[in-house]
Amino acid sequence: MTDQQSGYSPSNSMKELIGDNPMLLPAISRFNIAFGFGDSSVAEACLANGVDTDTFLCVCNLISGHAFDADSISLGSLIDYLKRAHVSFLDVRLPQIRHSLIDAVNSADSGEAALLLIKYFDDYMVEVRRHMEHENDVIFRYVERLLEGQNDGSFSIGRYSDSHRDTATRLKELKDIFIYHFRQRDNIRLSGALLDIIICERDMMHHFDVENLLLVPAVKRLEASIRMSAPADSVASEPDREVDDERLSSLSEREKDIIRGVAHGLVNKEIADRLCISVHTVATHRRNISAKLDIHTSAGLVIFAIMNHLVDISDVRPV
C-alpha cells in the first residue's frame, strides 16, 4: 500500500490509512473530517469536508514516519488543525486520564503517595494549558496576521522555536513513577489509565513534531516572502532591531560574559573558572538570561550572541 519513501497519496482510501496506523484517528478528527467515510479516498474525504488535501497528507505522513512534503501545506488549514488538537488535549484527553487515575487509586488502599501523584498530574495539566493557550493567543494569532499580510517585525517564529519544548516529558515521568515505583496489587484499572497515558504521550510527541517540522518552517517561508515583497526603502526591519536592542540592554555585563562563554563552547564550570565565580552563580545567571531573552537553549544563545555582536562568528564553537 505504502512505503517510507512514497508515503500516503490522495488516491489511498481512508481505510488504508487507518489500517496502516490507527494513531491517525485523532488527526482525522482534528481536521474535522466526519467519520463514516466508507471507501472514500483521501482526496474525496478531504473535498467532502472542506479540508486541504496536501496539508492532511503531510500531517498523516509525518505522524506515520513516511516521507512528507512540507512545502505543500496550507498554513491556514494547519493552524485550524493545531487549534483543534489543543481542544482535544485540554478538554478531552487529559481530563479523561485524570478521571481514570483517580478511579484507579481510589479502588485500592494507595495512601498519601497516590494523592501526591494526582497533584503532580494536576500541576502538569496547568502547565500544558498555559503552554497551549500561549500558542493560541500569541503564536497562532501571529501566523494569522502574517496570512493577512500584516507583519510589524516585532516578533518572529524563530524566537518561538528557540524556546519551544515538548509537553510530553512530564507525562512520561508520571507514567514511569506509577509503573516502577507505585506499589498496588489491584492494577486492572491502573493499567488502563497507564495505557491511556502512553497513547496520549505519543499523541503529544506527534503534535510537537507537527509544530516543529511543519508549522515553523512554513511560517519562516512566509516571513521571508513578506520581507522580499516589501518596498526597497521599507524600514520594516527596524522594529526587530529595536526589540533586539531592548533585549540586549536588559542584560548586565556579567550576563553578557556568560553568553560569550556559551558561544565559545564552554560548559558552566569552565565559564565559572574563567570569570572567577562559582558554578552555582553561573547557573543562576543563565536562568536569569533565559527569562530575560526567552531563549532556553545553548544554540539559541549562540545565535543571539552572533546577531548582537557579542562574539565574532569565527570564535564560535559548536554546541
Side-chain angles (χ1 to χ4, degrees):
M1 181 195 72
T2 187
D3 57 47
Q4 297 292 110
Q5 296 302 315
S6 62
Y8 307 126
S9 71
S11 61
N12 283 125
S13 71
M14 296 293 286
K15 282 183 178 179
E16 288 176 316
L17 268 64
I18 296 170
D20 184 64
N21 183 6
M23 283 296 292
L24 293 178
L25 283 170
I28 292 171
S29 67
R30 291 164 192 171
F31 274 105
N32 211 21
I33 293 176
F35 294 145
F37 33 66
D39 295 320
S40 298
S41 68
V42 168
E44 290 167 341
C46 287
L47 179 62
N49 289 274
V51 174
D52 182 76
T53 304
D54 289 338
T55 306
F56 175 77
L57 283 170
C58 195
V59 169
C60 290
N61 278 315
L62 171 58
I63 289 174
S64 299
H66 302 317
F68 58 90
D69 180 12
D71 293 336
S72 66
I73 68 169
S74 159
L75 260 177
S77 184
L78 186 64
I79 290 294
D80 288 343
Y81 165 86
L82 292 171
K83 286 181 177 179
R84 290 193 191 96
H86 287 179
V87 172
S88 173
F89 286 122
L90 297 177
D91 296 350
V92 181
R93 301 295 292 276
L94 293 177
Q96 285 177 343
I97 289 173
R98 184 181 190 276
H99 177 80
S100 297
L101 285 175
I102 290 175
D103 184 51
V105 299
N106 282 344
S107 67
D109 184 16
S110 306
E112 188 177 347
L115 297 178
L116 291 174
L117 289 169
I118 296 300
K119 183 181 184 306
Y120 181 102
F121 184 77
D122 286 346
D123 291 343
Y124 170 72
M125 286 182 64
V126 170
E127 176 188 313
V128 173
R129 182 170 295 278
R130 186 182 301 118
H131 173 96
M132 292 186 174
E133 287 180 348
H134 172 75
E135 290 183 338
N136 288 344
D137 297 339
V138 178
I139 309 306
F140 297 166
R141 184 66 194 110
Y142 167 71
V143 177
E144 288 166 347
R145 288 197 302 272
L146 287 181
L147 290 170
E148 294 165 0
Q150 304 174 33
N151 185 11
D152 61 7
S154 62
F155 186 77
S156 71
I157 200 66
R159 287 175 57 188
Y160 161 73
S161 63
D162 284 342
S163 59
H164 188 216
R165 297 181 297 278
D166 76 83
T167 53
T169 302
R170 284 191 65 186
L171 196 59
K172 179 181 183 301
E173 290 173 355
L174 178 67
K175 174 200 68 182
D176 289 346
I177 290 171
F178 269 113
I179 293 174
Y180 301 116
H181 305 289
F182 186 71
R183 286 189 170 275
Q184 178 175 305
R185 288 192 175 277
D186 183 8
N187 285 328
I188 295 176
R189 288 184 176 86
L190 182 57
S191 63
L194 293 176
L195 182 59
D196 289 342
I197 289 178
I198 291 169
I199 293 172
C200 187
E201 177 192 334
R202 290 177 59 189
D203 196 6
M204 282 190 162
M205 288 306 302
H206 292 153
H207 180 75
F208 179 73
D209 287 342
V210 169
E211 290 179 329
N212 266 15
L213 301 179
L214 299 184
L215 176 68
V216 170
V219 176
K220 285 182 177 180
R221 289 194 297 271
L222 180 57
E223 288 173 335
S225 174
I226 291 175
R227 285 196 301 269
M228 290 289 290
S229 62
D233 60 349
S234 170
V235 293
S237 61
E238 286 306 309
D240 254 343
R241 182 69 261 161
E242 290 171 7
V243 170
D244 280 345
D245 287 344
E246 183 179 336
R247 296 163 81 197
L248 187 63
S249 64
S250 72
L251 299 170
S252 68
E253 289 305 314
R254 178 62 83 195
E255 287 169 339
K256 292 176 184 176
D257 289 337
I258 299 290
I259 294 175
R260 291 186 186 98
V262 174
H264 290 151
L266 304 180
V267 298
N268 283 3
K269 186 177 186 311
E270 292 172 320
I271 295 173
D273 292 343
R274 175 174 291 191
L275 299 179
C276 299
I277 57 178
S278 70
V279 175
H280 174 75
T281 300
V282 173
T284 300
H285 279 309
R286 291 195 64 170
R287 285 195 296 272
N288 292 337
I289 291 167
S290 294
K292 288 180 179 181
L293 302 183
D294 195 23
I295 297 175
H296 303 275
T297 65
S298 296
L301 289 177
V302 172
I303 293 171
F304 179 86
I306 295 171
M307 296 298 293
N308 289 277
H309 310 293
L310 293 178
V311 295
D312 189 280
I313 193 169
S314 62
D315 296 327
V316 172
R317 294 211 318 240
V319 295

